[in-house]
């Protein structure tokens, strides 16, 4: 690794290079007082530079034993992690099937579609389903709902929460057949209390909030999903410099990915559809451009197929491309009524 | 919040000075740069940049609310939990009380279908006292195509609420609450909007009607990308206006014919060519809403007014709470009324289609009734 890539300030870097230190190995055998003299900086500053260089160098040396390499994990260990991955159900068994169980934790999932297809509905359903207790196969966690457009309708969330509790009671009754145990102590108000709602009015607030989430989630460790509805709105206008927009969006996506991994939660980003001119014709595509489409781990497109709503896995590291039908009902997202499969009991 | 000055944020003096020296004075400028860009610009280390950014972010980020407290707040402070009843019972039931506060509701349909009639009725209702189902406040009506008829407004008032409107003083009071603006260009409209935003709360304005949005934009000479950008600004502004004032905003939109430029499929659909069934759009007028897909995303509720086989329908095409229902309606001397409070549920994207069949007959017939 060269000096260029060290996370030190530009002037420190400049001084190192003009003093002749262009590679890390050249720094390995010098003491901090000598370095301070050569660079004409204070000794504490020289010590900091050496510390940074040592740390970076340590990460460089590739070694068979993983414990020496900082932050690496062997594929075998990762397999164990992947198998114990938690999912958040979407309440539609068909949709859960193609998703490999549901929305994955520790990953960023982008969901996009035309207006009225059900993005916000799915977002609200996920914010509620994350709260399903462990006894019913859920995560028992809380949700953060970041609303950039004002689409979150609290009465609808109440409606879906009510239906979720009814379904759990139904399941309880079916399985336990003990009418005493039927009563779930959850009320829709309790579910609404576990949704942290933020309303964003500009892209600056959006960036600031995503920066702040690290601290917020450290203080509220039971948050298991972050839903952003929609990630697009504030970035579709107000940006004359497209390159800046790409940099800001990429930075945001990286922070969200770090959040997902650090706190083992799911991040769901809702995106809008736009019209793109490709291959000589106009087609629908998700907004925010080509560079953005690389940043999210998973991408699901919601679309109309005849009279049905369908979800298509456009991009995923582990799932195959597949579509499934779903429907938006008064109780929330459910299997499409034309599907002849019965709803699977958990 | 976005324009918060760096000088107002409690940062360590050294870093605050550096920000000032490099001419980064607002939080917006600081947050628009990546960490590495800031390191380069300010000539400080990564940890200092990170700590400064996290302090700025914490101050600029909006506060949170639990969904429960949001609901309680709405039901305590706002009329019917944040809904404005239209008086059309079936529609109000579907929309969970009425037109929602704080977001955009769009009325779209072909010419002469009844959009302005509905706007007049809603304006009148909003001016009425709360015991008559109104919002007891002023209404700002932006009339782009000069379709506002005060005579018609008073006729609707007289027929629907005779006890109020028969008294001249009361009629004057109610009609006096509806303020009509007639901007002749988009820039005039923009200026009016900015003025409105400032005076909204002080002047007890309880509803904003823009009739019609499409006419404003189509009058401009810019085409393509430039037009999209101008519209984007207005969309954003009107949404934020609705949001912070928590009033219902009703916007009307026109229709245009479907041309081959309109996309309806994704690239993966084109490639797979499997079960995709084309909706047979073989009606005499295949119409779609004007203003594009960005606008369609920005409105929260879309009500489509159309004519099919000589009967008018009002359909809930997009709504966070209502299923896709269509209600038959007709226009009478007392405004608009539903012929049935039980809506027909429509499947699929059919709810978004806008029909115009047998329309001419209705207009002529309707006019006689209005005389």
């Amino acid at each position: 690794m060269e000096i260029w890539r060290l996370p030190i300030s530009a002037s420190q870097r400049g001084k190192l290079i003009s003093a002749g230190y262009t590679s890390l190995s050249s720094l390995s055998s010098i003491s901090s007082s000598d370095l301070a003299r050569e660079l004409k900086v204070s000794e504490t500053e020289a010590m900091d530079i050496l510390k940074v260089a040592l740390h970076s160098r340590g990460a460089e040396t590739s070694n068979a034993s993983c414990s020496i390499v900082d932050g690496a994990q062997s594929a075998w260990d990762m397999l164990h992690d992947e198998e114990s991955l938690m999912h958040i159900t979407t309440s539609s068994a068909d949709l859960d099937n193609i998703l490999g169980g549901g929305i994955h934790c520790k990953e960023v999932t982008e969901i996009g579609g035309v207006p009225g297809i059900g993005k916000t509905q799915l977002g609200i359903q996920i914010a509620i389903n994350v709260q399903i207790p462990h006894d019913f196969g859920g995560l028992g966690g809380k949700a953060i709902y970041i609303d950039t457009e004002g689409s979150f309708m609290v009465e609808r969330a109440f409606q879906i929460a009510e239906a979720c509790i009814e379904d759990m009671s139904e399941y309880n009754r079916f399985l336990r057949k003990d009418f005493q145990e039927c009563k779930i102590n959850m009320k829709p108000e309790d579910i609404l209390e576990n949704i942290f709602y933020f309303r964003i009015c500009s892209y600056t607030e959006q960036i600031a909030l995503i920066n702040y989430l690290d601290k917020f989630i450290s203080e509220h460790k039971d948050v298991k999903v972050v839903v952003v509805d929609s990630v697009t709105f504030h970035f579709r206008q107000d940006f004359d410099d497209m390159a800046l927009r790409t940099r800001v969006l990429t930075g945001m996506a990286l922070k969200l990915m770090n959040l997902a991994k650090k706190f083992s939660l799911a991040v769901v980003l809702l995106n809008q559809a736009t019209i793109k001119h490709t291959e000589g014709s106009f087609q629908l595509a998700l907004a925010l451009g080509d560079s953005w489409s690389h940043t999210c781990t998973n991408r699901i497109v919601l679309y109309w197929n005849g009279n049905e709503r369908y979800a298509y896995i456009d991009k995923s590291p582990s799932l195959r491309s597949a579509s499934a039908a779903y429907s938006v009902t008064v109780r929330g997202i459910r299997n499409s009524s034309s599907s002849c499969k019965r709803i699977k009991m958990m | 919040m976005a324009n918060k000055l760096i000088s107002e944020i409690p940062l360590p003096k050294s870093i605050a000075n550096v920000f000032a020296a490099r001419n980064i004075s607002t939080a917006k400028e600081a947050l628009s740069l990546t960490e590495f860009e800031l390191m380069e610009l300010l000539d400080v280390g990564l940890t200092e940049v990170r700590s400064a950014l996290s302090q700025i972010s914490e101050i600029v980020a909006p506060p949170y609310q639990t969904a429960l407290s949001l609901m309680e707040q709405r039901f305590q402070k706002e009329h019917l939990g944040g809904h404005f009843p239209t008086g059309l019972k079936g529609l109000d039931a579907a929309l969970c009380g009425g037109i929602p506060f704080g977001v955009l509701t769009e009325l779209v349909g072909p010419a002469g279908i009844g959009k302005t009639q509905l706007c007049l009725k809603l304006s009148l209702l909003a001016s009425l006292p709360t015991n008559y189902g109104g919002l007891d406040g002023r209404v700002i009506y932006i009339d782009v195509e000069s379709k506002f008829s005060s005579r018609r407004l008073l006729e609707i008032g007289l027929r629907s609420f005779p006890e109020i409107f028969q008294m001249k003083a009361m009629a004057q009071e109610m009609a006096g609450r509806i303020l009509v603006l007639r901007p002749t260009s988009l820039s005039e409209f923009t200026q009016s909007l900015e003025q409105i935003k400032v005076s909204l709360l002080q002047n007890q304005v309880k509803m904003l009607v823009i009739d019609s949005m499409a006419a404003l934009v189509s009058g401009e000479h810019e085409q393509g990308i430039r037009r999209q950008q101008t519209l984007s600004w207005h969309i954003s502004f009107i949404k934020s206006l609705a949001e912070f004032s928590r009033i219902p905003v009703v916007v009307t939109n026109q229709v245009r014919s479907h041309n081959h430029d309109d996309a309806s499929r994704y690239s993966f659909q084109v490639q797979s060519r499997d079960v995709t069934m084309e909706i047979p759009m073989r009606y005499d007028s295949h119409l779609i809403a004007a203003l594009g897909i960005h606008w369609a995303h920005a409105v929260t509720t879309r009500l489509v007014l159309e004519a099919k086989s000589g009967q008018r329908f009002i359909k809930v095409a997009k709504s966070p709470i209502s299923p896709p229902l269509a209600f038959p309606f007709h226009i009478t001397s007392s405004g608009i009324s539903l012929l049935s409070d039980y809506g027909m549920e429509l499947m699929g994207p059919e709810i978004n289609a806008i029909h115009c069949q047998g329309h001419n007959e209705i207009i002529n017939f309707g006019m006689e009734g209005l005389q």
Side-chain angles (χ1 to χ4, degrees), chain B residues 312-369:
Chain B
R312 292 184 217 236
F313 288 93
I314 180 166
K315 309 194 286 196
V316 184
K318 179 185 177 192
S319 160
I321 190 101
S322 165
L325 295 172
F327 300 92
F329 74 94
H330 65 166
I331 303 185
T332 63
S333 53
S334 58
I336 284 199
S337 57
L338 294 182
L339 291 168
S340 160
D341 283 326
Y342 293 102
M344 278 184 329
E345 186 153 348
L346 297 177
M347 302 306 281
E350 175 70 17
I351 190 79
N352 288 308
I354 306 177
H355 302 108
C356 196
Q357 292 169 311
H359 191 37
N360 295 325
E361 290 79 37
I362 320 177
I363 294 190
N364 294 330
F365 177 75
M367 276 316 193
E368 288 155 28

Side-chain angles (χ1 to χ4, degrees), chain A residues 62-78:
Chain A
S62 53
N63 217 304
S65 173
C66 294
S67 55
I68 291 189
V69 182
D70 254 339
Q73 209 183 0
S74 79
W76 185 255
D77 292 333
M78 281 180 72

Side-chain angles (χ1 to χ4, degrees), chain A residues 5-13 112-116 119-121 148-159 188-190 192-205 207-209 211-212 215-216 220 233-234 236-240 244 247-248 251 255 271-276 278-279 282-286 301-308 312 314 323 337, chain B residues 1-3 27-29 31-37 39-40 43-46 53-54 56-58 60-72 74-75 80-83 95-96 100 102-103 229 232-233 235-236 239-240 243 260-271 274-277 279 293-294 296-298 300 317-321 324 347-352:
Chain A
R5 303 211 204 118
L6 283 181
I8 50 179
S9 72
S11 58
Q12 287 172 337
R13 209 184 303 146
V114 293
K119 303 182 289 294
T120 303
Q121 302 295 311
T148 64
E149 298 185 32
S151 350
F152 183 79
M153 200 169 192
V154 76
E155 291 96 335
R156 180 59 171 154
F158 189 88
Q159 219 176 34
E189 287 84 354
D190 299 326
L192 289 187
E193 206 174 13
N194 290 334
I195 300 179
F196 297 112
Y197 175 80
F198 289 89
R199 177 74 171 95
I200 300 277
C201 299
S202 71
Y203 81 84
T204 317
E205 282 187 9
I207 300 172
L209 181 59
N211 286 346
Y212 173 60
K215 184 163 179 212
F216 184 84
H220 296 89
F233 183 66
H234 293 294
R236 276 184 101 164
Q237 54 256 20
D238 213 22
F239 265 99
D240 298 318
L244 174 64
R247 287 201 297 278
V248 169
K255 289 208 189 76
N271 196 1
Q272 295 175 348
T274 182
I275 296 189
K276 199 163 83 159
T278 47
E279 298 155 18
F282 287 95
Q283 285 175 358
L284 286 172
L286 295 192
V301 177
L302 305 179
Y303 65 103
W304 283 108
N305 188 358
N307 273 349
E308 298 261 39
Y312 173 72
D314 194 34
S323 314
S337 45
Chain B
M1 260 305 158
N3 293 324
K28 180 171 174 172
E29 290 165 3
L31 290 171
S32 302
L33 299 168
T34 63
E35 287 172 350
F36 278 96
E37 283 171 345
M39 267 173 47
E40 285 283 329
D43 201 11
V44 291
L46 188 62
L53 277 181
S54 84
I56 298 176
S57 299
E58 191 169 346
V60 173
Y64 79 91
Q65 219 181 0
T66 62
L68 182 65
S69 75
L70 187 70
M71 188 168 80
E72 286 168 351
R74 298 250 168 107
F75 275 91
L80 284 185
H83 295 276
L95 293 177
C96 200
V103 287
Q229 282 177 344
S232 301
W233 182 87
I235 291 177
S236 197
K239 275 184 81 110
S240 71
E243 168 73 27
H260 73 99
D261 274 356
D262 291 314
S264 60
R265 293 195 285 176
Y266 292 90
S267 58
F268 63 84
Q269 282 176 289
V270 172
Q271 283 159 21
D274 58 353
V275 207
T276 30
M277 300 181 271
I279 323 280
I293 196 169
H294 185 189
H297 275 296
T300 305
K318 179 185 177 192
S319 160
I321 190 101
M347 302 306 281
E350 175 70 17
I351 190 79
N352 288 308

Side-chain angles (χ1 to χ4, degrees), chain A residues 73-324:
Chain A
Q73 209 183 0
S74 79
W76 185 255
D77 292 333
M78 281 180 72
L79 181 64
H80 170 75
D81 274 349
E82 275 174 34
E83 277 167 357
S84 61
L85 204 59
M86 301 298 293
H87 304 114
I88 304 176
T89 173
T90 57
S91 288
S92 155
D94 295 336
L95 202 50
D96 283 347
N97 268 341
I98 60 165
L99 287 171
I103 304 284
H104 293 215
C105 284
K106 289 197 184 176
E107 287 180 10
V108 176
T109 305
E110 180 190 1
I111 302 178
V114 293
I117 194 81
K119 303 182 289 294
T120 303
Q121 302 295 311
L122 190 50
I124 298 179
Q125 184 75 65
I126 292 171
I128 286 171
N129 286 358
V130 73
Q131 300 181 40
I132 294 177
H134 291 289
D135 293 342
F136 293 86
L139 289 157
K142 297 192 179 170
I144 288 179
Y145 198 96
I146 299 176
D147 187 1
T148 64
E149 298 185 32
S151 350
F152 183 79
M153 200 169 192
V154 76
E155 291 96 335
R156 180 59 171 154
F158 189 88
Q159 219 176 34
I160 297 182
E162 254 180 344
C164 184
I165 293 176
E166 278 169 20
D167 285 349
M168 287 197 287
S169 309
E170 188 66 38
Y171 168 73
N172 222 0
R173 206 170 353 167
F174 177 79
L175 213 59
R176 315 241 174 124
K177 293 194 163 53
D178 178 351
F179 290 108
Q180 249 82 13
E181 300 288 334
C182 258
K183 248 186 287 186
I184 310 261
N185 281 326
M186 273 176 113
K187 293 198 314 289
E189 287 84 354
D190 299 326
I191 293 188
L192 289 187
E193 206 174 13
N194 290 334
I195 300 179
F196 297 112
Y197 175 80
F198 289 89
R199 177 74 171 95
I200 300 277
C201 299
S202 71
Y203 81 84
T204 317
E205 282 187 9
Q206 196 168 330
I207 300 172
L209 181 59
I210 290 177
N211 286 346
Y212 173 60
L213 277 184
D214 193 281
K215 184 163 179 212
F216 184 84
I217 300 180
S218 311
E219 293 164 5
H220 296 89
K221 282 247 159 70
D222 35 12
V223 167
K224 285 289 168 214
V225 73
V226 175
V227 180
V228 183
D229 178 11
S230 62
V231 73
T232 331
F233 183 66
H234 293 294
F235 286 89
R236 276 184 101 164
Q237 54 256 20
D238 213 22
F239 265 99
D240 298 318
D241 184 358
M242 280 298 156
L244 174 64
R245 188 182 89 160
T246 308
R247 287 201 297 278
V248 169
L249 282 173
T250 317
M252 204 171 69
L254 280 173
K255 289 208 189 76
L256 287 168
M257 244 183 282
N258 285 337
L259 274 179
K261 290 207 169 54
K262 180 173 173 186
F263 297 105
S264 293
L265 45 85
V267 175
V268 175
L269 305 180
L270 302 180
N271 196 1
Q272 295 175 348
T274 182
I275 296 189
K276 199 163 83 159
H277 185 94
T278 47
E279 298 155 18
S281 69
F282 287 95
Q283 285 175 358
L284 286 172
L286 295 192
L288 296 179
D290 292 324
S291 348
W292 171 258
S293 56
H294 291 295
T295 49
C296 290
T297 318
N298 301 298
R299 182 175 247 210
I300 301 172
V301 177
L302 305 179
Y303 65 103
W304 283 108
N305 188 358
N307 273 349
E308 298 261 39
R309 291 180 158 88
Y310 271 72
Y312 173 72
I313 310 265
D314 194 34
K315 178 185 175 196
S316 161
S318 55
L319 303 164
R320 44 188 293 248
S321 287
S323 314

